[in-house]
Amino acid sequence: MYLENVDVPRLPDTVETCAEKVSLFENIVKTGLDFIIPLRSKTIYRSEPPWLNDKLKNLIKRRQRALAKGNMDPFRTLRNCVNRGRNICRAKYYEAKVSHLRECKPSVWWKEVKKLSSMSPASETRDDTSKLLQHLGFSPGDLANYINSAFLTPMQSFEPLTHNPFDPPQINNERHAVNTISEFSTFMKLSALNPSKPQGPDGIPLRPISLTPILSKLAEDRIVEKYVKPAVLQSIDPRQFGSIPKSSASQALVNMTHNWLVNTEGNGATARVVLLDFSKAFDLIDHSVLVQKLATYDIPSQTKSWIVDFLMDRKQRVKLAQDCHSEWRSVPSGVPQETKLGPWLFLIMINDLDTPADLWKYVDNTSCSEIVTKGSENKLQEAVDDLSRQASIDGFQPNEAKCKELRIGFSSSNHDFEPQVLNGKTLELVISAKLLGVATSHDLRWNMHTSELSRKCSSRLYFLRQLKRSGVAPSEPVQFYVTCQASLGIRKSCIPPFSTKLHQRRFQTDPKKGTQNHLS
């Protein structure tokens, strides 16, 4: 009806410029929309639940009027109708909120779950990084190059490898035998992959976060399992707990806490612990030093040559948006993270880091301690200086701002110790610190750790209650509990000495009661 009364073909001829014609056409469309579907006002109350609709509001009003008049039979009927309607509205609302997340990335799904459960503030805007940083005055391309340069600046002090020292010499235009990977062995490796793992963009079940190609990962796996791993395990420091078969962070924590507890309980001694932190440990590995250390291991020269080729001529770039990339720039140091070979190369770099004091190494997390009894001499500063000297020779850069000192003891009398100094800077003295993800206090109590664990469990239990109230299928709360709740409770609660399999079974049977029993 509206378009029949508007002479659309002739109206553009009444104006001259293209911009005026576009503006005229927009006015025609807006006027038509206002005529066909006019705007209507709607009052929204912030205190109302988001799933409340007009039909349910009317039922609630009728129920309240029946209650006010004393008509109990209609009141009971309307009350039941309101309860059923409330459950249906909740179920539809929450199911619609998460239904579109089944096919998206897990990280996006988890962000939406946190928003629904009030675990983090919801952001109203979702602009990409380049738009958020426009106030800096850079174009998106220049900004990407600036960020890439900032990442590579700490590496500029390292000299890149210019040749491969393990390349076999050429004799009569022939080279020595090299490692070969047949088509059949590649097929067998691909067939052995776990199909339950998240698939990458090419459909192969490997972690999408990995930056190296699939075939490169297969080659790395063969090199590590057949050559690197056996050679490293022959000479690995027994105080290294990371990336080692049949070892874990739990064993490292139990070993540390047992040592400190046994040597300080009831004798007035104090365990002085220095927690070392290296700046960008994986990114600031000197390739020249790594090659020298790699030469001392019982690894075939062809394999060593392959490893050096793997590290040489690597480049990186920064991506801010779909079509916004920085230029490719060379990476003169470091080992690629999220690779099969990276952790083992780091173990080779840090394996000879040694000191007479008690030492625990978990990949790039290093802790050293000394038990100081009454009247004895404190030699921990010498150990710290020695570790700092060895780290500087290998190219590691200690981050003095993040290195801490923790004093563990049960004596009521305070010992007067000189503060620990690292590279001329005094280390911060703390009463608690996180050791491999577990909050540890100066008296070896688990109060801080269990409080943090209880807080995280409570936020997830709240979302479980929301799912139950919304009336979703029973499989949905179970899936959320298995992926987000059970792993948090069991993995992080297995460290305290009071944790038992009974506590874990109670936790899985009844999360709320199990958490209270475990943390009480």
Side-chain angles (χ1 to χ4, degrees):
M1 182 69 69
Y2 170 75
L3 294 177
E4 292 177 356
N5 297 328
V6 178
D7 192 0
V8 178
R10 295 183 180 180
L11 280 176
D13 297 335
T14 60
V15 294
E16 296 180 358
T17 65
C18 181
E20 292 175 345
K21 291 181 180 181
V22 172
S23 178
L24 178 62
F25 181 74
E26 291 178 350
N27 290 333
I28 294 174
V29 174
K30 291 179 181 179
T31 305
L33 290 176
D34 293 338
F35 177 79
I36 299 172
I37 46 175
L39 294 177
R40 294 181 180 180
S41 61
K42 181 180 179 181
T43 305
I44 299 177
Y45 300 96
R46 292 183 177 271
S47 59
E48 288 183 353
W51 41 261
L52 192 62
N53 56 25
D54 293 337
K55 183 178 179 181
L56 187 58
K57 288 181 181 179
N58 292 331
L59 281 176
I60 294 174
K61 290 179 181 179
R62 292 172 56 190
R63 181 196 64 181
Q64 295 304 107
R65 284 198 296 265
L67 178 63
K69 294 179 180 180
N71 299 330
M72 300 309 297
D73 291 338
F75 166 75
R76 294 188 183 95
T77 303
L78 291 171
R79 179 191 61 189
N80 295 336
C81 292
V82 168
N83 292 338
R84 287 193 298 269
R86 181 176 63 248
N87 293 335
I88 293 173
C89 290
R90 282 177 174 173
K92 290 182 177 179
Y93 174 78
Y94 287 111
E95 186 175 358
K97 279 289 186 181
V98 298
S99 60
H100 69 285
L101 300 173
R102 298 181 186 276
E103 303 299 330
C104 69
K105 297 180 180 179
S107 60
V108 179
W109 186 88
W110 177 235
K111 289 180 182 178
E112 294 293 335
V113 167
K114 292 173 69 176
K115 286 171 56 179
L116 287 174
S117 58
S118 302
M119 293 168 59
S120 64
S123 177
E124 298 296 333
T125 59
R126 294 189 178 185
D127 298 329
D128 56 48
T129 308
S130 59
K131 292 182 180 179
L132 291 174
L133 300 177
Q134 282 181 350
H135 66 280
L136 295 178
F138 294 98
S139 65
D142 293 339
L143 180 61
N145 288 322
Y146 181 80
I147 296 175
N148 196 20
S149 300
F151 287 149
L152 294 173
T153 298
M155 307 179 188
Q156 298 308 312
S157 59
F158 297 94
E159 290 292 333
L161 293 175
T162 56
H163 69 284
N164 191 334
F166 301 111
D167 273 342
Q170 292 187 2
I171 302 176
N172 297 330
N173 295 327
E174 294 184 359
R175 297 174 67 91
H176 290 286
V178 297
N179 294 312
T180 58
I181 301 178
S182 64
E183 182 179 350
F184 176 75
S185 63
T186 303
F187 174 77
M188 295 302 295
K189 282 289 185 180
L190 291 173
S191 303
L193 295 176
N194 186 359
S196 63
K197 290 185 177 180
Q199 296 186 356
D202 48 7
I204 297 178
L206 286 174
R207 296 183 65 185
I209 194 174
S210 302
L211 303 179
T212 51
I214 300 301
L215 292 180
S216 175
K217 283 195 167 295
L218 297 176
E220 290 177 64
D221 185 65
R222 175 181 174 84
I223 293 296
V224 168
E225 293 296 328
K226 190 172 182 179
Y227 301 108
V228 178
K229 182 178 177 179
V232 173
L233 292 181
Q234 286 180 359
S235 57
I236 193 68
D237 188 345
R239 296 170 294 184
Q240 174 64 258
F241 293 87
S243 301
I244 305 300
K246 299 181 180 180
S247 182
S248 63
S250 300
Q251 293 184 0
L253 287 166
V254 169
N255 191 295
M256 282 188 284
T257 54
H258 176 76
N259 178 280
W260 298 332
L261 179 63
V262 169
N263 290 288
T264 58
E265 187 178 22
N267 58 6
T270 301
R272 300 191 68 183
V273 185
V274 173
L275 311 175
L276 297 177
D277 181 88
F278 298 107
S279 299
K280 297 183 178 294
F282 277 82
D283 296 333
L284 300 182
I285 290 181
D286 192 336
H287 289 170
S288 300
V289 178
L290 178 58
V291 168
Q292 295 175 8
K293 295 189 176 185
L294 191 63
T296 62
Y297 283 80
D298 186 18
I299 300 176
S301 59
Q302 296 91 345
T303 303
K304 296 177 182 177
S305 176
W306 187 93
I307 294 174
V308 175
D309 284 338
F310 178 79
L311 297 174
M312 289 178 61
D313 300 325
R314 302 195 71 90
K315 298 180 182 296
Q316 76 172 32
R317 70 175 181 179
V318 171
K319 177 181 177 181
L320 294 183
Q322 187 64 30
D323 298 322
C324 179
H325 305 88
S326 69
E327 298 176 355
W328 289 100
R329 292 190 56 182
S330 298
V331 182
S333 65
V335 295
Q337 298 191 43
E338 299 297 339
T339 59
K340 299 275 188 178
L341 192 59
W344 291 95
L345 295 180
F346 188 86
L347 292 185
I348 292 176
M349 280 292 297
I350 205 171
N351 189 48
D352 54 0
L353 190 66
D354 193 14
T355 180
D358 295 328
L359 189 67
W360 293 270
K361 293 184 282 187
Y362 190 85
V363 192
D364 58 336
N365 292 283
T366 303
S367 304
C368 65
S369 71
E370 182 187 25
I371 307 299
V372 183
T373 58
K374 292 183 178 180
S376 64
E377 185 180 358
N378 181 14
K379 298 182 179 181
L380 184 60
Q381 183 62 58
E382 298 178 6
V384 173
D385 294 338
D386 188 29
L387 289 175
S388 176
R389 179 186 57 81
Q390 296 179 48
S392 62
I393 294 176
D394 292 340
F396 290 114
Q397 301 177 8
N399 188 349
E400 296 84 0
K402 291 187 177 180
C403 295
K404 313 289 183 184
E405 180 187 359
L406 177 66
R407 297 175 184 175
I408 299 173
F410 304 95
S411 175
S412 57
S413 59
N414 296 325
H415 295 274
D416 187 16
F417 295 118
E418 292 291 333
Q420 294 295 319
V421 179
L422 179 62
N423 294 337
K425 296 183 179 180
T426 302
L427 299 186
E428 179 185 359
L429 179 62
V430 296
I431 61 173
S432 65
K434 272 202 170 184
L435 296 176
L436 301 179
V438 177
T440 306
S441 61
H442 67 286
D443 53 2
L444 293 183
R445 295 183 182 271
W446 302 100
N447 297 19
M448 295 183 62
H449 177 69
T450 53
S451 298
E452 180 182 358
L453 177 63
S454 178
R455 178 182 58 80
K456 292 183 178 180
C457 288
S458 297
S459 61
R460 287 157 174 76
L461 288 173
Y462 170 77
F463 184 68
L464 279 177
R465 291 193 294 269
Q466 294 295 97
L467 289 177
K468 181 179 179 181
R469 292 172 182 172
S470 63
V472 299
S475 59
E476 300 293 336
V478 172
Q479 183 178 7
F480 175 81
Y481 170 75
V482 172
T483 56
C484 303
Q485 180 75 17
S487 60
L488 174 68
I490 295 176
R491 178 174 61 86
K492 288 197 174 183
S493 63
C494 63
I495 304 303
F498 52 78
S499 177
T500 63
K501 291 185 178 180
L502 176 61
H503 288 156
Q504 295 183 7
R505 287 198 298 269
R506 289 177 178 175
F507 191 92
Q508 293 175 335
T509 305
D510 189 339
K512 184 176 180 181
K513 187 178 295 183
T515 304
Q516 294 173 349
N517 291 337
H518 180 76
L519 301 180
S520 60

